Amino acid sequence: GFTTMCNSVKPATVMSFLNDLYTRLDAMLDAFGVYKVETIGDCYVAAGGLMKVDEETGAVTVRSDDALLHAASAVRLPTSGEPVRLRVGIHSGPAMSGVVGTRMPRFCLFGDTINTASRMESTGVPGAIHVSKATRDLVPDEPWEPTGGVQVRRLPQSGGNGGCGGGPSREHQEVMYLTQG
């Protein structure tokens, strides 16, 4: 609903909204060793395992995204006052990195891994983390529940939030994982 919101809300309000949201998300990255790659409009791209890859990379990435969902839910949409519900996509695999451009050069990630993560996000539903089979296979100890092609992991109902401070507790919140294929 970002484009619709931009058509009905003053630009200064949109900028204030995005600043609040991105500031909260940025504050969490170091705790999980996740690197912010870029933000373009309402697209926030982060990657785990760029500096250190080990058997915990998949689990840490999933925990960081749980925390990002909770942090985002503390921000309210300027149009409705409803909490922000991010769509998150994760895929695991190799990627190429580099700095591109001469004016405002950017550190970018390229490759099928990045494209697949983007597809996982764009085909997902708000408030959920969608992962490929490659990522799901890295975190086999997560409490997966088969739901006909969708894997669901229930978040703690005790208000535990994966290291995120202050996110609202949701009685029946679920994080859904789609398998690629």
Side-chain angles (χ1 to χ4, degrees):
F2 183 75
T3 302
T4 303
M5 179 184 72
C6 289
N7 290 330
S8 64
V9 175
K10 293 179 182 177
T13 302
V14 173
M15 290 300 294
S16 177
F17 162 74
L18 287 175
N19 184 58
D20 183 20
L21 177 62
Y22 289 171
T23 299
R24 291 170 190 260
L25 302 181
D26 290 350
M28 310 190 79
L29 298 181
D30 288 342
F32 294 98
V34 175
Y35 183 81
K36 179 178 174 180
V37 179
E38 63 184 32
T39 55
I40 300 173
D42 67 331
C43 181
Y44 187 98
V45 180
L50 293 179
M51 304 308 258
K52 176 185 169 194
V53 179
D54 58 27
E55 64 278 352
E56 289 294 311
T57 298
V60 169
T61 302
V62 170
R63 283 196 306 269
S64 71
D65 289 339
D66 281 346
L68 293 175
L69 283 174
H70 283 287
S73 70
V75 178
R76 302 294 178 186
L77 293 168
T79 51
S80 66
E82 294 290 320
V84 170
R85 295 176 63 219
L86 299 179
R87 284 189 324 229
V88 177
I90 306 174
H91 180 60
S92 301
M96 179 65 192
S97 65
V99 176
V100 297
T102 57
R103 293 186 187 232
M104 292 184 59
R106 297 192 146 175
F107 174 77
C108 295
L109 293 176
F110 303 93
D112 188 57
T113 299
I114 307 308
N115 294 337
T116 301
S118 177
R119 285 191 299 275
M120 297 305 298
E121 179 274 328
S122 65
T123 59
V125 297
I129 300 171
H130 302 268
V131 303
S132 65
K133 183 178 184 316
T135 300
R136 190 190 69 185
D137 290 347
L138 289 175
V139 286
D141 294 332
E142 290 288 322
W144 302 108
E145 297 177 25
T147 60
V150 176
Q151 304 294 320
V152 178
R153 182 176 63 83
R154 302 205 186 277
L155 290 178
Q157 294 183 15
S158 64
N161 51 19
C164 170
S169 174
R170 293 188 205 148
E171 191 171 301
H172 299 291
Q173 183 176 7
E174 297 178 341
V175 177
M176 300 168 60
Y177 294 83
L178 298 180
T179 58
Q180 181 184 6

